[in-house]
Amino acid sequence: MVTSPVAKETPKEIPKEIPEEVKKVVLKTSEPIGLPKKPSQFSISAALTKSEEEEPDKIIASTKKDLPSQHFSETDLQIEWKKFLVELQEKDVIVYNAINSFKLKKKDENIVVITYPSESAKVEFDKVRSDFFNHFMHKVNHFNISVEFSVDVTMKKEIITKRKIFDKFAEINPLLKDLDDLFKLDFS
């Protein structure tokens, strides 16, 4: 039989009577014994206080002054945008279809204006915006580029279906509508 090397402790005697002086004193801690309560990541109040504390604009502004700012041309911007769209078409067709109608123009040495057709397309562009501009800034060695957005609703592409074509012709010639009702034509 193997005995453990740990020595056995003898139980200490606990006094049966507690003096009156000890009973009256209540010990309190200065801090809670448990873990501090963390706000939930979905807490609105925590998000508001967090946004007030952070000031990343000052940090970004000081680091951008130190970065190189070489000249780039409008053709550099257009070539890289077309290359990016080709790569994006292979990776993510949905985002490509949303942003392929965007127009990028160089407004000033440090400003690129992006014209887009709708807010939903802009949301899709925001997903890949950092990828494009990180690549472009490294390619032209110009790291002080700022972006301006402008909406142009005339750029919206309307998908014309056979039903829409038929409805246009039916407005011109009402007899087509009668034929559709009579023969139950399917233009879907």
Side-chain angles (χ1 to χ4, degrees):
M1 183 177 204
V2 179
T3 59
S4 66
V6 178
K8 293 183 179 179
E9 295 181 20
T10 58
K12 296 180 182 176
E13 291 186 24
I14 301 173
K16 294 182 181 178
E17 290 184 23
I18 300 175
E20 285 295 319
E21 302 162 354
V22 177
K23 286 183 182 179
K24 292 180 183 176
V25 177
V26 177
L27 300 175
K28 294 185 180 180
T29 61
S30 61
E31 295 179 11
I33 296 173
L35 295 174
K37 190 173 183 182
K38 289 183 180 179
S40 169
Q41 66 180 356
F42 302 109
S43 171
I44 295 172
S45 60
L48 291 174
T49 56
K50 184 177 181 183
S51 64
E52 291 172 358
E53 294 170 0
E54 296 178 357
E55 293 182 15
D57 296 336
K58 293 180 182 178
I59 297 169
I60 292 171
S62 64
T63 56
K64 280 201 170 194
K65 291 177 185 175
D66 302 334
L67 296 173
S69 296
Q70 292 184 355
H71 174 74
F72 68 94
S73 66
E74 177 74 25
T75 55
D76 294 334
L77 180 66
Q78 297 305 325
I79 289 170
E80 291 303 317
W81 177 244
K82 287 178 184 172
K83 285 181 184 177
F84 179 73
L85 286 177
V86 169
E87 292 173 5
L88 187 64
Q89 187 175 15
E90 295 171 3
K91 290 180 188 174
D92 194 354
V93 176
I94 296 171
V95 176
Y96 168 78
N97 288 332
I99 69 170
N100 69 346
S101 63
F102 280 40
K103 301 292 182 212
L104 278 69
K105 297 282 183 194
K106 181 181 175 186
K107 181 178 178 182
D108 195 15
E109 189 60 34
N110 296 334
I111 300 173
V112 173
V113 177
I114 299 175
T115 308
Y116 61 95
S118 67
E119 289 298 322
S120 61
K122 183 178 182 263
V123 169
E124 293 297 322
F125 175 72
D126 286 338
K127 293 178 183 176
V128 293
R129 173 178 151 182
S130 62
D131 295 337
F132 172 70
F133 280 106
N134 284 338
H135 170 73
F136 181 69
M137 285 189 246
H138 282 86
K139 182 81 174 182
V140 297
N141 201 21
H142 187 92
F143 295 92
N144 295 327
I145 296 174
S146 60
V147 179
E148 292 180 1
F149 291 93
S150 65
V151 179
D152 186 7
V153 291
T154 60
M155 294 173 61
K156 275 190 181 178
K157 291 183 181 178
E158 182 180 354
I159 299 172
I160 299 175
T161 62
K162 292 180 181 180
R163 175 50 79 183
K164 288 183 181 179
I165 294 170
F166 177 79
D167 290 338
K168 283 184 181 180
F169 284 129
E171 287 176 12
I172 297 169
N173 188 353
L175 291 177
L176 290 175
K177 185 70 173 160
D178 294 337
L179 284 174
D180 182 37
D181 292 339
L182 182 64
F183 291 116
K184 305 286 187 226
L185 302 173
D186 184 22
F187 291 109
S188 56

